[in-house]
Amino acid sequence: RIADADAVPLDELLVDAQTREGVQAAIARCEPDEQAMIAAIYFRGQSMHEHAAATGVHVSTVSRRHARALRKLAEWLKEAPP
């Protein structure tokens, strides 16, 4: 059988799945409002301005909370086993 030139190697698929699971686990550790913000911005495509308007929070507050959440996620992902 001829290999599919567009096929993604299995090891890459496994790494992608592990990365996705690690990110999901890290997001689950966030506070509910941080989880909602991450979902709005990264999964639903809202801008920070749109999220601020939707939640009634000033955009500078959303920006600070976003930066803090990303720092926490980065730290938790560093702690995760490979």
Side-chain angles (χ1 to χ4, degrees):
R1 180 171 180 196
I2 299 174
D4 183 354
D6 294 327
V8 178
L10 182 58
D11 59 339
E12 286 183 30
L13 289 174
L14 292 174
V15 168
D16 288 347
Q18 290 171 333
T19 300
R20 186 173 40 258
E21 289 171 4
V23 169
Q24 289 171 340
I27 291 171
R29 293 177 66 179
C30 290
E31 296 296 324
D33 62 323
E34 293 171 326
Q35 290 178 19
M37 177 185 59
I38 290 165
I41 293 171
Y42 291 100
F43 302 123
R44 291 193 302 274
Q46 277 186 347
S47 69
M48 285 191 211
H49 284 83
E50 291 168 332
H51 185 68
T55 58
V57 177
H58 195 277
V59 70
S60 65
T61 302
V62 171
S63 179
R64 284 192 304 275
R65 290 177 181 172
H66 176 260
R68 183 180 63 230
L70 290 184
R71 282 192 303 272
K72 288 165 55 172
L73 289 171
E75 187 61 36
W76 290 333
L77 289 169
K78 286 181 199 173
E79 294 172 0

